[in-house]
Amino acid sequence: MNIHDIAKLSGYSAATVSRVINNREYVSKNAKSAVQKVIKEYDYVPNDVARDLSNGKTHNIGVVMPHTRHPYYTGIINGIMDAAFPAGYRIVLLPSMYNAKIEMNYLNRLRRKAYDAIIFTSHGVTLDDLVEYQKYSSIVCCHDPGDYNISAAYTERIDSYLKAFSWAKSQNAHNVAILLSRGFELSATSQLTRKAFIKTFDNEPNDSLLRTGIVTYDDGYNSAQSFSQNSVTPDLIFANSDDVATGARQFYLDHNLPVPILIGQENQLSGQLLNLPTIDHNFHEIGRLAFELAISNETKQFSVESKFILRDQNKSEL
Amino acid sequence: MNIHDIAKLSGYSAATVSRVINNREYVSKNAKSAVQKVIKEYDYVPNDVARDLSNGKTHNIGVVMPHTRHPYYTGIINGIMDAAFPAGYRIVLLPSMYNAKIEMNYLNRLRRKAYDAIIFTSHGVTLDDLVEYQKYSSIVCCHDPGDYNISAAYTERIDSYLKAFSWAKSQNAHNVAILLSRGFELSATSQLTRKAFIKTFDNEPNDSLLRTGIVTYDDGYNSAQSFSQNSVTPDLIFANSDDVATGARQFYLDHNLPVPILIGQENQLSGQLLNLPTIDHNFHEIGRLAFELAISNETKQFSVESKFILRDQNKSEL
DNA sequence: TATTGACCTGAAACGCGTTTCAGAAATTAA
DNA sequence: TTAATTTCTGAAACGCGTTTCAGGTCAATA
């Protein structure tokens, strides 16, 4: 049962049926009611794929993320979804595991018109690639694109990183461990962390106190364990999430070792319970802005301030 | 630049180009290399929407969920995604806010061929509706479908609910508060909670100790507050997540009131930190199974046991 | 009354791959 | 060498809506 069948059955043409379905003008009352009657009688619904093909639009936005285990990604996704839903867009989850080949594959699906736009919450492909593929469709990234001419909605992280490290310094931290999702060379965010560290402590982060590939509570725990196994004792741990910091903390507690000072990120419940200092990156707003950029035709950048939150240490009731 | 252009440029027909692209047999070496050369030269990629239209398949699976604020839903989504990715399927997020009209809309999009299947992590429409729409495409629900003939992957909750309540009873809990996402009349899961409660305590849950619409930490906090404002003092709170239980706990702490015994669900980090008894519903496995059902042609049901986890209360180091 | 303009309508083309089917060419089997 | 296969190939139809454009009707303006 397609639009041509309805056309025949109603005695009008497919063009008229299409007009009725889409509530276009220039349809007589007679035509409208006749067509509607047949549509109702045969319970006809138009094929969305054919429609998308004809319209050259799918109302689908692809969202690329390495995984959904870190609150930053899930937070952005929520932000995008909350904005996309009322606008009639749907989001398609495109997991990449930081794999550039997989991401290129998604970029090609953009060329193939499968999505109206793609938002990269994180990207393994180069910014050059993103700029290149922009000619096919709207692309938004969620990192500072620097001089690259590409739409971006991102967190201005440097200030809060500086605040966090300078607070760390004020606590007399000398051996600062850094737990990152990706190494400095691979991630702009990690690079920012490094810059803030250098600016504060006047030297490079200590390799033996650096761990990458860190995402979850367990990763935090294991990092602390590996520090311990290597006889490394950080006096402060700067983690990429509160849950990660909490995991590290647990290792020390489990082994009756003194717990280093902890700094988390993303303002999670675990950090709230433990009164950890944290950095709130306002990912929900990032998601919202990313969506707005995705459906707009302009290429522009939005940045949002992140906040270093130092909770009242005395209020800890745990 | 479409397949016909490539056909002309290569001196072969669209049919042959299609064969080359899809690696079909019955293409001569000459044809293959000539076509590939032109494809490469013009950097042609086929249009996915046209392909989907032709093939009648999109490789998109719609996933309906009320929201993404509860770990149960995000957990299922992760499970689905982890299974869908290697199988070459993508998932489209379809938020419903428990709104049956919105869900019907999604069901109609299924009829319109926008998705190959739909998974309902929760449903506001009736099971009759789901059964009805099954004739158009594969539908999977994540609740016990009872006698309805529909594919389902769900958690067998009753045992762990019974265990939880009987533990509650053993703790001499008399005023048991229940925090639910939806009321008994609207949700099969809530109904199970009720049944387990009745079986254990031999009477209906007390209305004044019942709260619905509960999803987050804040909701938990507010519930406790509303109990307090109504001079209701539960001696045990059965929450629908550890975070919710944690929120309730916080209210009592903030007001220097004795904290009731807490039972959480979903085995979250907050519960782990506070050593709360919890119920683990194994949502990741549910998601995986739901996906398998979504792409299979059979209609069947899988259920997974949930676990009541009583943590060592003495080990609380917080 | 002659124009003008608004309103209707449908055939055909378009968006773009895929598949069918018939026919031709090249092999292999007999 | 002939018959029977197997391999290639492309025109056309198909999946299904949307849009364009020409042609027609009818009421309103001049």
Side-chain angles (χ1 to χ4, degrees):
Chain A
M1 180 65 59
N2 62 32
I3 202 170
H4 297 282
D5 297 324
I6 299 297
K8 258 178 230 149
L9 288 163
S10 64
Y12 286 88
S13 70
T16 297
V17 176
S18 178
R19 288 189 190 101
V20 171
I21 290 171
N22 296 293
N23 238 316
R24 294 274 151 67
E25 50 187 347
Y26 300 131
V27 182
S28 66
K29 299 229 179 223
N30 283 344
K32 191 167 180 175
S33 68
V35 168
Q36 283 176 332
K37 185 170 164 244
V38 176
I39 287 177
K40 183 159 281 181
E41 187 181 344
Y42 289 84
D43 196 20
Y44 163 77
V45 288
N47 180 307
D48 272 346
V49 181
R51 237 172 178 177
D52 289 346
L53 173 60
S54 211
N55 293 327
K57 273 194 103 183
T58 63
H59 290 273
N60 285 337
I61 307 275
V63 177
V64 178
M65 69 275 158
H67 51 74
T68 50
R69 265 64 181 172
H70 194 280
Y72 181 68
Y73 300 119
T74 51
I76 293 185
I77 292 168
N78 274 328
I80 298 171
M81 204 168 67
D82 290 345
F85 177 77
Y89 282 80
R90 291 161 296 275
I91 81 166
V92 183
L93 297 180
L94 306 175
S96 75
M97 286 77 86
Y98 295 112
N99 182 318
K101 274 205 188 115
I102 293 173
E103 289 183 15
M104 280 308 282
N105 194 16
Y106 294 142
L107 281 172
N108 276 307
R109 286 186 56 75
L110 181 67
R111 282 191 63 189
R112 291 150 166 267
K113 311 284 186 191
Y115 314 118
D116 292 354
I118 281 195
I119 297 171
F120 279 83
T121 63
S122 164
H123 57 95
V125 294
T126 65
L127 278 168
D128 284 312
D129 287 329
L130 296 188
V131 169
E132 158 78 9
Y133 275 79
Q134 240 182 333
K135 67 175 175 236
Y136 304 114
S137 245
S138 179
I139 295 180
V140 180
C141 79
C142 295
H143 288 283
D144 185 348
D147 294 334
Y148 286 86
N149 181 40
I150 189 159
S151 283
Y154 62 96
T155 305
E156 200 74 79
R157 306 170 102 100
I158 191 70
D159 275 1
S160 52
Y161 282 176
L162 283 170
K163 277 184 197 151
F165 282 126
S166 98
W167 178 78
K169 201 175 177 183
S170 78
Q171 301 299 106
N172 287 314
H174 294 292
N175 300 304
V176 176
I178 300 181
L179 308 187
L180 299 167
S181 58
R182 311 203 77 198
F184 294 139
E185 66 296 346
L186 291 169
S187 152
T189 302
S190 300
Q191 199 52 251
L192 277 179
T193 310
R194 176 172 162 271
K195 273 185 195 152
F197 183 94
I198 293 173
K199 203 159 184 178
T200 309
F201 291 100
D202 243 354
N203 55 351
E204 284 276 343
N206 184 335
D207 260 1
S208 67
L209 284 164
L210 190 67
R211 293 291 181 280
T212 56
I214 307 301
V215 177
T216 62
Y217 173 92
D218 285 342
D219 295 335
Y221 192 98
N222 295 335
S223 300
Q225 184 160 43
S226 98
F227 289 146
S228 178
Q229 279 163 353
N230 296 321
S231 306
V232 173
T233 40
D235 45 28
L236 186 144
I237 296 179
F238 180 83
N240 64 349
S241 81
D242 292 351
D243 282 4
V244 165
T246 303
R249 168 180 174 279
Q250 195 62 42
F251 173 80
Y252 293 107
L253 291 176
D254 283 355
H255 296 79
N256 281 313
L257 296 166
V259 179
I261 302 171
L262 301 164
I263 299 178
Q265 285 185 66
E266 312 304 353
N267 198 3
Q268 294 176 281
L269 180 52
S270 58
Q272 207 172 308
L273 288 173
L274 299 172
N275 262 312
L276 303 184
T278 194
I279 299 172
D280 189 317
H281 290 301
N282 207 352
F283 38 63
H284 192 273
E285 178 67 3
I286 295 295
R288 194 185 69 75
L289 292 169
F291 172 73
E292 295 304 332
L293 290 170
I295 60 170
S296 99
N297 294 316
E298 297 169 78
T299 297
K300 54 182 169 183
Q301 288 86 34
F302 286 119
S303 70
V304 171
E305 291 296 319
S306 58
K307 280 201 195 75
F308 177 59
I309 300 173
L310 201 50
R311 294 197 176 82
D312 184 354
Q313 296 293 106
N314 301 320
K315 222 196 109 196
S316 172
E317 87 294 317
L318 291 180
Chain B
M1 181 63 61
N2 61 33
I3 201 169
H4 297 282
D5 297 325
I6 299 297
K8 257 178 230 148
L9 289 163
S10 64
Y12 285 87
S13 71
T16 296
V17 176
S18 177
R19 288 190 190 99
V20 171
I21 290 171
N22 295 293
N23 237 316
R24 293 275 151 67
E25 49 187 348
Y26 302 132
V27 182
S28 66
K29 299 228 181 229
N30 283 345
K32 190 168 181 172
S33 67
V35 168
Q36 281 176 334
K37 185 171 164 244
V38 177
I39 286 176
K40 182 159 282 179
E41 187 181 344
Y42 289 85
D43 194 20
Y44 163 76
V45 288
N47 180 307
D48 272 346
V49 182
R51 236 173 180 177
D52 289 347
L53 174 60
S54 211
N55 292 327
K57 273 196 103 182
T58 62
H59 290 272
N60 285 337
I61 308 276
V63 178
V64 178
M65 69 275 157
H67 52 74
T68 52
R69 265 63 180 173
H70 195 280
Y72 181 69
Y73 301 120
T74 51
I76 293 186
I77 292 169
N78 274 330
I80 298 171
M81 203 168 68
D82 290 346
F85 177 78
Y89 283 80
R90 292 161 296 275
I91 82 168
V92 183
L93 297 181
L94 306 175
S96 75
M97 286 77 86
Y98 295 112
N99 182 319
K101 273 205 191 116
I102 294 173
E103 289 184 14
M104 280 307 286
N105 194 16
Y106 294 141
L107 281 172
N108 276 308
R109 286 187 55 77
L110 180 67
R111 281 191 63 189
R112 290 150 168 269
K113 309 285 185 192
Y115 316 116
D116 292 355
I118 281 195
I119 297 171
F120 279 83
T121 62
S122 166
H123 56 96
V125 293
T126 65
L127 278 168
D128 284 311
D129 287 328
L130 296 187
V131 168
E132 158 78 11
Y133 275 78
Q134 238 184 333
K135 68 175 176 236
Y136 303 115
S137 243
S138 179
I139 294 180
V140 180
C141 79
C142 296
H143 288 284
D144 185 347
D147 294 334
Y148 286 87
N149 182 41
I150 189 160
S151 283
Y154 62 97
T155 306
E156 200 74 81
R157 308 169 102 102
I158 191 71
D159 275 0
S160 52
Y161 282 177
L162 284 170
K163 277 183 196 150
F165 282 126
S166 98
W167 178 79
K169 200 175 176 182
S170 77
Q171 301 301 105
N172 288 314
H174 294 293
N175 300 304
V176 176
I178 301 180
L179 308 187
L180 298 167
S181 57
R182 312 204 76 199
F184 295 138
E185 67 297 345
L186 291 169
S187 152
T189 302
S190 301
Q191 200 51 252
L192 277 179
T193 310
R194 176 172 163 272
K195 274 185 194 153
F197 183 93
I198 294 173
K199 203 159 184 178
T200 309
F201 292 100
D202 244 351
N203 56 351
E204 285 276 344
N206 185 334
D207 261 2
S208 66
L209 285 163
L210 190 67
R211 292 294 180 278
T212 57
I214 307 302
V215 178
T216 63
Y217 172 93
D218 285 341
D219 295 334
Y221 192 98
N222 296 335
S223 299
Q225 183 159 45
S226 99
F227 289 145
S228 178
Q229 278 163 352
N230 297 319
S231 306
V232 174
T233 40
D235 44 29
L236 186 143
I237 296 178
F238 180 84
N240 64 350
S241 82
D242 292 351
D243 283 4
V244 165
T246 302
R249 169 181 174 276
Q250 194 64 42
F251 172 80
Y252 293 107
L253 291 175
D254 283 356
H255 296 79
N256 281 313
L257 296 167
V259 179
I261 303 171
L262 301 164
I263 299 178
Q265 285 186 66
E266 311 306 352
N267 199 2
Q268 293 175 280
L269 181 52
S270 58
Q272 207 172 309
L273 288 172
L274 299 172
N275 263 311
L276 302 185
T278 193
I279 299 172
D280 189 316
H281 290 300
N282 206 353
F283 37 62
H284 192 274
E285 177 68 2
I286 296 295
R288 194 185 70 74
L289 292 169
F291 173 74
E292 295 304 332
L293 290 170
I295 60 169
S296 98
N297 295 314
E298 295 169 79
T299 298
K300 55 184 165 183
Q301 288 86 36
F302 286 118
S303 70
V304 172
E305 290 297 319
S306 58
K307 282 200 194 75
F308 176 58
I309 300 173
L310 201 49
R311 296 195 175 86
D312 184 354
Q313 297 294 105
N314 301 319
K315 223 193 110 198
S316 172
E317 88 292 318
L318 290 179

